[in-house]
Short mmCIF file of all heavy atoms in Angstrom, two decimals:
data_model
loop_
_atom_site.label_atom_id
_atom_site.label_comp_id
_atom_site.label_asym_id
_atom_site.label_seq_id
_atom_site.Cartn_x
_atom_site.Cartn_y
_atom_site.Cartn_z
N THR A 332 -49.90 178.64 14.79
CA THR A 332 -50.50 179.50 13.82
C THR A 332 -50.43 180.97 14.25
O THR A 332 -50.32 181.22 15.45
CB THR A 332 -52.03 179.12 13.57
OG1 THR A 332 -52.53 179.93 12.43
CG2 THR A 332 -52.91 179.41 14.84
N LEU A 333 -50.32 181.84 13.36
CA LEU A 333 -50.27 183.31 13.60
C LEU A 333 -51.60 183.90 13.12
O LEU A 333 -51.90 183.88 11.90
CB LEU A 333 -49.10 183.94 12.90
CG LEU A 333 -47.71 183.25 13.17
CD1 LEU A 333 -46.61 184.01 12.35
CD2 LEU A 333 -47.37 183.39 14.64
N VAL A 334 -52.30 184.42 14.07
CA VAL A 334 -53.67 185.01 13.67
C VAL A 334 -53.63 186.52 13.70
O VAL A 334 -53.37 187.12 14.72
CB VAL A 334 -54.74 184.38 14.59
CG1 VAL A 334 -56.18 184.85 14.24
CG2 VAL A 334 -54.67 182.85 14.64
N VAL A 335 -54.19 187.13 12.62
CA VAL A 335 -54.06 188.55 12.42
C VAL A 335 -55.49 189.16 12.52
O VAL A 335 -56.41 188.68 11.89
CB VAL A 335 -53.39 188.99 11.12
CG1 VAL A 335 -53.57 190.49 10.88
CG2 VAL A 335 -51.96 188.59 11.06
N TYR A 336 -55.63 190.12 13.40
CA TYR A 336 -56.91 190.85 13.61
C TYR A 336 -56.70 192.34 13.22
O TYR A 336 -55.71 192.95 13.54
CB TYR A 336 -57.27 190.81 15.12
CG TYR A 336 -57.66 189.44 15.59
CD1 TYR A 336 -56.65 188.60 16.10
CD2 TYR A 336 -58.95 188.95 15.62
CE1 TYR A 336 -56.98 187.35 16.50
CE2 TYR A 336 -59.28 187.70 16.09
CZ TYR A 336 -58.28 186.90 16.46
OH TYR A 336 -58.65 185.61 16.98
N THR A 337 -57.63 192.88 12.44
CA THR A 337 -57.46 194.20 11.92
C THR A 337 -58.78 194.99 12.21
O THR A 337 -59.87 194.43 12.38
CB THR A 337 -57.17 194.19 10.34
OG1 THR A 337 -58.36 193.49 9.72
CG2 THR A 337 -55.91 193.44 10.05
N CYS A 338 -58.59 196.33 12.04
CA CYS A 338 -59.68 197.28 12.23
C CYS A 338 -60.92 196.86 11.29
O CYS A 338 -60.77 196.79 10.14
CB CYS A 338 -59.24 198.64 11.90
SG CYS A 338 -60.56 199.96 12.09
N SER A 339 -62.14 196.75 11.85
CA SER A 339 -63.29 196.38 11.07
C SER A 339 -63.69 197.44 10.16
O SER A 339 -64.31 197.17 9.09
CB SER A 339 -64.45 195.99 12.00
OG SER A 339 -64.74 197.12 12.88
N ASP A 340 -63.33 198.78 10.47
CA ASP A 340 -63.54 199.83 9.49
C ASP A 340 -62.44 200.10 8.50
O ASP A 340 -62.59 200.93 7.61
CB ASP A 340 -63.93 201.10 10.34
CG ASP A 340 -65.16 201.01 11.00
OD1 ASP A 340 -66.06 200.17 10.65
OD2 ASP A 340 -65.44 201.92 11.97
N SER A 341 -61.33 199.51 8.74
CA SER A 341 -60.09 199.75 7.96
C SER A 341 -59.93 201.27 7.91
O SER A 341 -59.78 201.79 6.76
CB SER A 341 -60.17 199.12 6.55
OG SER A 341 -58.92 198.97 5.97
N CYS A 342 -59.71 201.91 9.00
CA CYS A 342 -59.72 203.36 9.15
C CYS A 342 -58.42 203.89 8.57
O CYS A 342 -57.37 203.18 8.43
CB CYS A 342 -59.83 203.75 10.57
SG CYS A 342 -58.48 203.20 11.62
N ASN A 343 -58.36 205.19 8.27
CA ASN A 343 -57.22 205.87 7.83
C ASN A 343 -56.50 206.39 9.03
O ASN A 343 -57.07 206.79 10.08
CB ASN A 343 -57.50 206.97 6.91
CG ASN A 343 -57.58 206.52 5.50
OD1 ASN A 343 -57.05 205.54 5.10
ND2 ASN A 343 -58.19 207.41 4.56
N HIS A 344 -55.14 206.50 9.03
CA HIS A 344 -54.30 206.99 10.04
C HIS A 344 -53.38 208.04 9.55
O HIS A 344 -52.20 208.00 9.75
CB HIS A 344 -53.54 205.82 10.74
CG HIS A 344 -54.36 205.19 11.82
ND1 HIS A 344 -54.10 205.24 13.17
CD2 HIS A 344 -55.34 204.23 11.69
CE1 HIS A 344 -54.96 204.58 13.83
NE2 HIS A 344 -55.70 203.91 13.05
N ASP A 345 -53.83 209.05 8.86
CA ASP A 345 -53.07 210.15 8.24
C ASP A 345 -51.86 209.57 7.46
O ASP A 345 -50.83 210.08 7.63
CB ASP A 345 -52.59 211.08 9.47
CG ASP A 345 -53.73 211.67 10.13
OD1 ASP A 345 -54.71 212.03 9.55
OD2 ASP A 345 -53.65 211.86 11.41
N ASP A 346 -52.20 208.62 6.65
CA ASP A 346 -51.22 207.97 5.77
C ASP A 346 -50.09 207.29 6.51
O ASP A 346 -49.05 207.06 5.98
CB ASP A 346 -50.59 209.07 4.88
CG ASP A 346 -51.63 209.63 3.94
OD1 ASP A 346 -52.55 208.88 3.49
OD2 ASP A 346 -51.61 210.86 3.56
N GLN A 347 -50.18 206.96 7.82
CA GLN A 347 -49.31 206.29 8.53
C GLN A 347 -49.59 204.73 8.49
O GLN A 347 -50.68 204.38 8.29
CB GLN A 347 -49.31 206.71 10.11
CG GLN A 347 -48.95 208.15 10.30
CD GLN A 347 -47.49 208.43 9.99
OE1 GLN A 347 -46.57 207.76 10.48
NE2 GLN A 347 -47.31 209.52 9.17
#
Side-chain angles (χ1 to χ4, degrees):
T332 188
L333 306 175
V334 183
V335 172
Y336 294 86
T337 60
C338 175
S339 57
D340 288 345
S341 200
C342 63
N343 273 342
H344 275 253
D345 298 323
D346 298 324
Q347 299 291 309

